[in-house]
Amino acid sequence: MANTGSSSTSIGRKLIMAASGLFLVIFLLQHFLINFTSVIDEKTFNEISHFMGTNVLIQFVMQPILIAGVIIHFVMGFILEMKNTKARNVKYAMNKPSANSSWMSRNMIYTGAVILGFLGLHFYDFWVPEIDLKYVQGLEGSPTRYFHELQHRFEDPVRVAIYCVSFVLLALHLMHGFGAAFQSVGVTNKRYLTGLQKFGKIFAIVVPLGFIFIALFHHLNQ
Amino acid sequence: MAGKGMNLTLKIWRQSDANSPGKMVDYKVTDISEHMSFLEMMDVLNEQLVSKGEDPVAFDHDCREGICGMCSMYINGEAHGPDRGVTTCQLHMRMFNDGDTIYIEPWRAAAFPVIKDLVVDRTAFDRIMNAGGFVSVNTSGNTQDANALPIPKADADEAFDAATCIGCGACVATCKNASAMLFVSAKVSQLALLPQGKVEAKERVLNMVDQMDKEGFGNCTVTGACEVECPKGISLTNIARMNQEFLKASITADK
């Protein structure tokens, strides 16, 4: 009997990659919307952040699911890259990939690796201190600390620059990944697929650009 | 046309057999007519080599009219060369200029090992077809009339488009991951779209994908390069359809 849709089949791996990617896209959107409130109103941002940071369902169900989603996406990405490299053991002396495919589609592993590195920094900046405060030291923390922590992190121009460059690479990653995910999960309706791919391109520009705006806004409004 | 043709430098992969190391070797051809096909230019080169007592360049070819799927050269970094919607035998020398240097390599994929020079072993495709790329029909002589089964025109057209795949392997050669998904998806789609193919649809997609994976082809990352370089314009939609078929079959599989 042939393998069915598990992670041991090529299509199974594609589906896992696409599903985890789309899940992360949804997370990214909610993260962006919450962060964006920080440029509109400090109080609203603090309230939402406090809710997110203290709600049991978000902390102990959604957060582990999110972390699992991130791990599955990048581990599967590296597994796919290794298998794909093995599938062409001798390289061409002369190759012209730009004639038939986009730079974004060919370099997902590199844009993804940069995003992964950025996630490490991002976790170090925001997530680790929060976990340390709440679950290691066992302190409650001020419910209005979030906004000031955010502003404090964006004081350093080097850090702001790293964030901005990472968001550009996130945009490039999404530019291909968003539409490709729908192709992978089997959308054959050309009208829907074209619409989703166009929406994906807009999403890939607007959301990272929004994150860049938020970082610059707080850097310039210290 | 004598004396007005192109003079070209060819950099060709030479490899005496599957187990020997190969290398790129430079050749010169002169007075090549722009009206020649690429394979005719290769014939000119081989005549030169034979007359000098050298080993001619081995390359696959058969019908020389773009339908058999035999010719398979990676020319100047692209499968079947710089033109679109053509096989190597349909590629004209007018796509090149006098003085050009042309790189000519075999398809590169772990699943397509080189046999000699530009000839690669594409029997992996045959094994995938054997795994399920067919419908089991009664050949006892009482075959049903084709029109007895009504088929919507749109489905018939899509199935026919998928069936135009000639199995040349340009998709594998082009794909940065050496993935065979465009080929396999075309073969899955051409039958999945028709009532005759639905009976064995589940086993077909599972077995063909299983064989594809066993052969060592890479995974599709939707770069779309295969669709661009395919001489028959096989659409990426077929891959989405195969994924659908695979998911359906996996969920409802008996084991």
Side-chain angles (χ1 to χ4, degrees), chain A residues 51-205:
Chain A
F51 170 76
M52 299 293 282
T54 52
N55 184 281
V56 176
L57 187 70
I58 291 168
Q59 286 294 298
F60 300 108
V61 180
M62 292 311 290
Q63 192 164 253
I65 292 175
L66 172 66
I67 293 169
V70 172
I71 292 171
I72 289 169
H73 195 69
F74 84 74
V75 168
M76 192 54 83
F78 284 119
I79 291 173
L80 281 168
E81 181 65 17
M82 281 191 294
K83 286 190 172 291
N84 293 342
T85 307
K86 212 173 129 197
R88 174 157 297 128
N89 45 0
V90 181
K91 305 282 172 227
Y92 289 109
M94 164 68 148
N95 202 6
K96 209 188 279 177
S98 59
N100 48 43
S101 56
S102 70
W103 186 91
M104 285 86 78
S105 71
R106 298 192 307 272
N107 291 283
M108 292 296 275
I109 189 69
Y110 301 112
T111 51
V114 172
I115 295 163
L116 183 62
F118 164 75
L119 274 182
L121 176 68
H122 191 54
F123 269 47
Y124 171 77
D125 278 351
F126 294 100
W127 191 76
V128 174
E130 273 296 303
I131 296 295
D132 179 50
L133 181 78
K134 287 187 294 194
Y135 305 119
V136 179
Q137 297 181 43
L139 301 171
E140 270 210 11
S142 161
T144 57
R145 69 185 182 279
Y146 306 99
F147 185 82
H148 295 295
E149 278 173 9
L150 179 71
Q151 282 220 314
H152 173 64
R153 289 294 170 203
F154 290 126
E155 268 173 20
D156 178 13
V158 175
R159 187 172 249 96
V160 173
I162 294 171
Y163 268 65
C164 291
V165 170
S166 303
F167 290 135
V168 170
L169 285 156
L170 174 67
L172 295 171
H173 197 76
L174 288 172
M175 200 84 85
H176 174 70
F178 195 105
F182 286 100
Q183 164 86 26
S184 290
V185 296
V187 177
T188 50
N189 182 314
K190 285 209 176 79
R191 207 154 50 92
Y192 285 179
L193 193 60
T194 310
L196 285 165
Q197 281 167 342
K198 276 185 190 157
F199 175 75
K201 291 232 165 35
I202 295 167
F203 184 95
I205 293 167

Side-chain angles (χ1 to χ4, degrees), chain A residues 1-6 8-15 79-81 83-97 99-102 105-109 176 179-190 193 197, chain B residues 24 74 76-78 84 103 105-111 172-178 181 206-207 209-210 212-213 216-225 228-229 235-237 239-244 246-247 249-250 253-255:
Chain A
M1 182 66 193
N3 274 325
T4 51
S6 67
S8 62
T9 67
S10 52
I11 297 181
R13 285 190 286 268
K14 260 174 82 96
L15 291 169
I79 291 173
L80 281 168
E81 181 65 17
K83 286 190 172 291
N84 293 342
T85 307
K86 212 173 129 197
R88 174 157 297 128
N89 45 0
V90 181
K91 305 282 172 227
Y92 289 109
M94 164 68 148
N95 202 6
K96 209 188 279 177
N100 48 43
S101 56
S102 70
S105 71
R106 298 192 307 272
N107 291 283
M108 292 296 275
I109 189 69
H176 174 70
F182 286 100
Q183 164 86 26
S184 290
V185 296
V187 177
T188 50
N189 182 314
K190 285 209 176 79
L193 193 60
Q197 281 167 342
Chain B
M24 299 297 284
Y74 209 75
N76 274 353
E78 287 184 79
R84 291 287 172 260
Y103 283 76
E105 298 173 77
W107 288 169
R108 294 289 189 200
V172 174
T174 297
C175 176
K176 80 176 194 58
N177 312 318
M181 283 204 186
L206 293 177
N207 290 335
V209 169
D210 191 40
M212 171 180 82
D213 290 349
F217 291 106
N219 299 268
C220 171
T221 50
V222 203
T223 67
V228 174
E229 299 290 350
S235 165
L236 269 190
T237 307
I239 299 183
R241 187 179 293 107
M242 174 172 71
N243 295 348
Q244 245 179 42
F246 183 82
L247 192 58
S250 292
D254 300 328
K255 287 178 191 171

Side-chain angles (χ1 to χ4, degrees), chain B residues 11-236:
Chain B
K11 287 181 178 290
I12 303 179
W13 181 260
R14 299 303 311 263
Q15 184 174 336
S16 56
D17 59 64
N19 301 315
S20 305
K23 60 175 183 179
M24 299 297 284
V25 178
D26 289 7
Y27 297 98
K28 298 268 183 204
V29 283
T30 54
D31 200 21
I32 297 296
S33 162
E34 62 172 11
H35 303 299
M36 278 183 185
S37 76
F38 200 85
L39 295 190
E40 284 167 340
M41 183 276 293
M42 291 298 290
D43 293 338
V44 169
L45 170 70
N46 275 346
E47 279 175 22
Q48 278 179 28
L49 293 176
V50 170
S51 67
K52 284 193 277 184
E54 292 178 29
D55 191 21
V57 179
F59 61 90
D60 267 328
H61 62 104
D62 193 357
C63 74
R64 296 205 178 202
E65 55 183 13
I67 199 63
C68 72
M70 278 308 284
C71 54
S72 53
M73 292 181 194
Y74 209 75
I75 302 161
N76 274 353
E78 287 184 79
H80 296 301
D83 209 353
R84 291 287 172 260
V86 297
T87 52
T88 301
C89 64
Q90 294 170 301
L91 178 68
H92 281 92
M93 292 312 296
R94 67 179 73 102
M95 294 299 294
F96 302 91
N97 298 309
D98 186 30
D100 275 1
T101 297
I102 306 174
Y103 283 76
I104 308 168
E105 298 173 77
W107 288 169
R108 294 289 189 200
F112 285 168
V114 172
I115 295 171
K116 181 176 165 61
D117 297 337
L118 304 172
V119 180
V120 297
D121 180 357
R122 284 173 283 179
T123 51
F125 273 10
D126 297 338
R127 289 187 290 273
I128 293 171
M129 291 303 281
N130 288 346
F134 51 82
V135 284
S136 304
V137 291
N138 186 345
T139 53
S140 60
N142 54 359
T143 315
Q144 222 180 354
D145 185 279
N147 292 322
L149 281 172
I151 296 164
K153 176 78 165 66
D155 288 354
D157 286 349
E158 272 195 89
F160 189 82
D161 285 347
T164 57
C165 167
I166 52 175
C168 64
C171 47
V172 174
T174 297
C175 176
K176 80 176 194 58
N177 312 318
S179 168
M181 283 204 186
L182 194 69
F183 165 77
V184 180
S185 70
K187 300 304 174 191
V188 165
S189 286
Q190 73 182 43
L191 299 173
L193 285 159
L194 300 175
Q196 294 92 334
K198 293 204 194 295
V199 185
E200 295 160 303
K202 203 190 287 185
E203 297 78 21
R204 175 179 307 114
V205 70
L206 293 177
N207 290 335
M208 289 180 81
V209 169
D210 191 40
Q211 189 62 38
M212 171 180 82
D213 290 349
K214 281 180 187 152
E215 297 292 347
F217 291 106
N219 299 268
C220 171
T221 50
V222 203
T223 67
C226 53
E227 183 184 52
V228 174
E229 299 290 350
C230 174
K232 298 298 160 186
I234 301 295
S235 165
L236 269 190

